[in-house]
């Protein structure tokens, strides 16, 4: 018999592993039925006179019968939870066919070329990834009124596409990138593979349902045991499915797919920078950029200009972008941007007074300037709370008073320089960092309590019925990082108020100070010299070069 090659080999491997998963299910069922089988044998033997009626068998029969009943009850409970537990559903933006007929047409033509079933629907995720997702569970989708058996047999998976791909990639590149993903609908339609996937997803959902519920402790234990038993088989099954899909897609735009994969890496880099450096400052202020996917094009174009490895990528922008396949790309971008804010930061599902969208044209004034003013005000509040230190060993004339002046000092850059330089500058800097960290933590806790009272808090739950972020972007910042941010904000406010500078937006680095229309990126070095070394001369020289008057009070937020 000849060897099987091509996509069929991967499908056969996946099917073999799927059968192994289903054997775990059959074995568990057999174990659960074993006490009942023993009870039936004992009862039949007694009725037929094969088992003597003596005291030993009179004890064994009711014990085995009780164990059989208990095993059946427990097995029925586990089966009911596994069958009814809702599998995890990825948060996405649904794309009805009426809003993207060209995109649906592209995907169906691709499925026809691959000779596989077309996906049942299309959705977008605010991330650089694409996959197929089975949503045939009764709790998923508008088709929940149909019988489960019919739904499982007739519904293909949903195609989930990373929204940055639609805006950055060209139509031909997107088609080449989606070919191996869409090819996965073929193996997904196989009954054994579909049944194995449903079983694994049900076990995973049952573990989540049983977590933290003492009454379902046995259900959780049994589901975890079964998951461990079939984990390796399930992983090999998915590898076989992926291999079969990749092999089947070889004949469709293979050369172009290599170029598209390069774009995936570039898109991920630009998307990550855009979220961390640009979107996150706005999210922390209760504003969410409403055109993140359009912004990623600007970010990636800028990255192409700066990075020699990305040279030539921006020249593709003359070709038709994949977002042209959408009827209303602006509305879809807004929905994906709101979902990104919920996933990566946590926020209400709908806009409101404290959670409003901001356009890129408004970003410098509404986000950058406001961020600087708020941080400058926080820095001076903390400075007002710190009494000037008494330096031991100095003569009385060199000592500073223990009690600060009851009249708050004017918010000036000169005041910050004075406190952070000199012999006591290092200690003041450490204390400022600690107090700024505490202040930021208190403000975050206060905002969360207010949001809870209004039903908008992150503690309301997960993304399903609340606002807790699934994928926080950044860990908490250190005190030194916070101090550097706040001192930089203070200097930027002074430059705007006294030297004619304006707030700006750098697509890769976020908030930027523009002087004469050009970004000044050398400020960070002088601020670090002040904070880390207590040396204020580089910053003083920078202020003099720009024309900033450090003694002039700045307007605080």
């Amino acid at each position: 018999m000849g060897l099987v090659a091509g996509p069929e080999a991967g499908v056969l491997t996946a099917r073999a592993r799927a059968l192994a998963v289903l054997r775990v299910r059959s074995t568990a069922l057999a174990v659960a039925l074993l006490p009942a089988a023993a009870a039936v044998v004992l009862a039949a033997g007694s009725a037929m006179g094969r088992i003597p009626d003596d005291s030993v068998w009179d004890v064994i029969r009711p014990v085995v019968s009780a164990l059989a009943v208990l095993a059946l009850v427990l097995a029925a409970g586990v089966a009911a939870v596994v069958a009814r537990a809702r599998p995890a559903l990825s948060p996405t933006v649904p794309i009805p066919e009426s809003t993207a007929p060209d995109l649906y047409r592209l995907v169906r033509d691709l499925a026809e070329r691959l000779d596989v079933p077309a996906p049942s629907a299309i959705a977008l995720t605010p991330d650089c990834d694409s996959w197929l997702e089975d949503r045939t569970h009764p709790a998923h989708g508008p088709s929940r009124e149909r019988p489960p058996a019919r739904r499982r047999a007739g519904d293909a998976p949903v195609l989930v596409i990373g929204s940055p791909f639609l805006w950055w990639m060209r139509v031909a590149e997107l088609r080449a990138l989606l070919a191996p993903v869409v090819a996965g609908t073929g193996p997904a339609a196989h009954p054994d593979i579909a049944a194995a996937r449903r079983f694994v997803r049900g076990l995973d959902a049952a573990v989540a349902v049983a977590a933290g519920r003492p009454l379902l402790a046995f259900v959780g234990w049994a589901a975890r045991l079964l998951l461990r038993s079939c984990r390796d088989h399930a992983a090999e099954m998915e590898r076989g499915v992926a291999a079969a899909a990749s092999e089947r897609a070889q004949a469709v735009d293979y050369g172009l797919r290599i170029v598209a994969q390069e774009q995936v890496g570039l898109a991920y880099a630009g998307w990550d920078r855009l979220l961390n450096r640009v979107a996150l400052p706005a999210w922390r202020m209760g504003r969410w950029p409403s055109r993140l996917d359009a912004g990623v094009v600007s970010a990636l174009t800028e990255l192409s200009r700066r990075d020699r490895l990305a040279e030539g990528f921006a020249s593709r922008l003359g070709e038709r972008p994949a977002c042209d396949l959408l009827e209303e790309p602006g509305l879809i971008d807004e929905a994906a941007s709101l979902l990104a804010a919920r996933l990566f930061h946590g926020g209400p599902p709908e806009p409101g007074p404290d959670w409003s969208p901001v356009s890129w044209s408004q970003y410098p004034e509404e986000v950058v300037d406001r961020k600087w003013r708020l941080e400058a005000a926080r820095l001076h509040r903390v400075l007002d709370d710190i009494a000037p230190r008494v330096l031991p060993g100095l003569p009385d004339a060199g000592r500073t008073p223990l009690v600060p002046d009851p009249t708050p000092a004017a918010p000036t850059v000169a005041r910050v320089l004075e406190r952070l330089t000199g012999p006591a500058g290092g200690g003041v800097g450490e204390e400022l960092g600690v107090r700024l960290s505490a202040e930021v933590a208190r403000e975050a806790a206060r905002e969360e309590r207010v949001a809870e009272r209004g039903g908008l808090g992150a503690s309301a739950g997960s993304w399903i019925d609340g606002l807790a972020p699934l994928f926080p972007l950044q860990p908490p910042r250190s005190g030194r990082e916070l101090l550097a941010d706040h001192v930089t904000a203070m200097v930027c406010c002074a430059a705007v108020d006294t030297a004619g500078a304006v707030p700006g937006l750098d697509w890769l680095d976020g908030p930027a100070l523009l002087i004469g229309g050009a970004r000044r990126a050398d400020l960070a070095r002088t601020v670090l010299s002040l904070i880390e070394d207590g040396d204020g001369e580089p910053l003083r020289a920078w202020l003099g070069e720009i024309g900033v008057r450090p003694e002039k009070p700045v307007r605080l937020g």
Side-chain angles (χ1 to χ4, degrees), residues 19 77 110 182 210 224 276 339 365 372 377 388 444 466 510:
L19 292 175
L110 187 58
V182 174
R224 286 190 296 271
N276 280 281
L339 180 57
E365 187 67 28
W372 288 343

Side-chain angles (χ1 to χ4, degrees), residues 497-525:
D497 291 347
T498 67
V502 294
L505 168 62
D506 184 282
W507 289 109
L508 296 176
D509 295 328
L513 182 68
L514 304 181
I515 300 176
R519 180 190 174 200
R520 292 300 297 258
D522 52 347
L523 174 59
R525 175 182 53 80

Side-chain angles (χ1 to χ4, degrees), residues 3-388:
L3 296 177
V4 178
E8 292 76 12
V11 173
L12 288 177
T13 301
R15 182 172 179 269
R17 292 297 184 170
L19 292 175
V21 171
L22 296 179
R23 279 196 294 271
V24 172
R25 184 182 65 178
S26 301
T27 301
L29 179 61
V31 171
L33 294 177
L34 186 60
V40 170
V41 170
L42 289 176
S46 299
M48 297 173 63
R50 300 294 182 89
I51 298 178
D53 293 329
D54 54 31
S55 57
V56 175
W57 290 107
D58 288 343
V59 172
I60 292 177
R61 276 193 298 270
V63 170
V64 172
S65 299
L67 288 175
V69 172
L70 178 61
L72 290 175
V73 170
L74 292 176
V78 172
V81 173
V82 171
R84 295 175 61 86
R86 176 174 176 168
L89 184 66
S90 301
T92 56
V93 176
I95 306 296
E97 186 169 359
S98 60
T99 65
D102 290 343
L103 180 59
Y104 273 81
R105 191 176 303 112
L106 180 147
V107 171
R108 289 195 181 112
D109 290 345
L110 187 58
E112 184 176 351
R113 291 175 63 185
L114 294 167
D115 193 24
V116 296
S120 60
I122 299 175
L124 296 187
T125 179
D127 203 356
C128 294
D129 199 3
S130 297
W131 66 89
L132 293 172
E133 184 165 272
D134 185 0
R135 299 184 178 181
T136 57
H137 190 275
H140 296 159
S143 60
R144 64 184 63 179
E145 70 276 1
R146 287 186 292 164
R150 181 179 168 189
R151 178 171 46 253
R152 289 171 181 168
D155 285 357
V158 172
L159 174 62
V160 181
I161 306 173
S163 62
F165 295 158
L166 281 176
W167 269 259
W168 175 244
M169 290 189 171
R170 309 299 96 182
V171 172
E173 293 171 348
L174 181 68
R175 182 176 58 246
L177 184 71
L178 293 180
V181 182
V182 174
T185 60
H190 195 284
D192 293 334
I193 295 175
R197 283 176 163 175
R198 284 196 303 272
F199 177 58
V200 173
R201 284 197 304 270
L203 292 176
D204 186 66
V207 170
V209 169
R213 299 183 181 181
L215 293 178
L216 296 179
F218 178 79
V219 173
W221 173 83
R224 286 190 296 271
L225 177 63
L226 292 173
L227 273 177
R228 285 194 298 270
S229 301
C230 63
R231 178 186 301 144
D232 293 339
H233 297 303
E236 290 296 328
M237 176 184 71
E238 295 301 338
R239 276 192 282 269
V241 169
S246 178
E247 184 69 23
R248 182 177 291 275
Q250 292 285 339
V252 179
D253 299 331
Y254 180 73
L256 190 57
R257 192 175 313 128
I258 298 175
V259 178
Q261 288 296 337
E262 294 176 346
Q263 298 304 321
V264 170
L266 186 65
Y268 185 87
W271 182 247
D272 182 69
R273 291 286 289 267
L274 185 74
L275 293 183
N276 280 281
R277 308 291 180 87
V278 178
L280 190 58
W283 293 340
R284 285 173 172 161
M285 297 170 53
R287 307 296 299 274
W288 51 277
S290 59
R291 295 292 187 269
L292 278 179
D293 290 304
V296 79
V297 177
S298 299
L300 290 171
T301 304
E302 179 65 16
L303 182 63
S304 301
R305 185 182 68 82
R306 297 184 191 179
D307 189 347
R308 287 183 299 175
L309 295 177
E311 286 180 0
F313 286 163
S315 62
R316 309 158 33 261
L317 299 181
E319 303 172 21
R320 185 190 183 196
C323 62
D324 278 0
L325 299 173
L326 305 174
E327 293 290 307
E328 296 287 347
L331 295 178
I332 300 300
D333 194 357
E334 186 170 348
S337 300
L338 180 57
L339 180 57
R342 298 186 65 200
L343 286 178
F344 298 107
H345 180 68
E350 300 292 339
D354 299 321
W355 188 241
S356 55
V358 60
S359 65
W360 292 126
S361 61
Q362 298 172 324
Y363 186 94
E365 187 67 28
E366 297 290 331
V367 175
V368 178
D369 188 74
R370 184 183 169 199
K371 172 182 181 290
W372 288 343
R373 306 289 176 182
L374 292 174
E375 291 181 346
R378 185 185 298 122
L379 175 62
H380 280 277
R381 283 199 308 271
V382 173
L383 275 175
D384 290 338
D385 293 338
I386 298 179

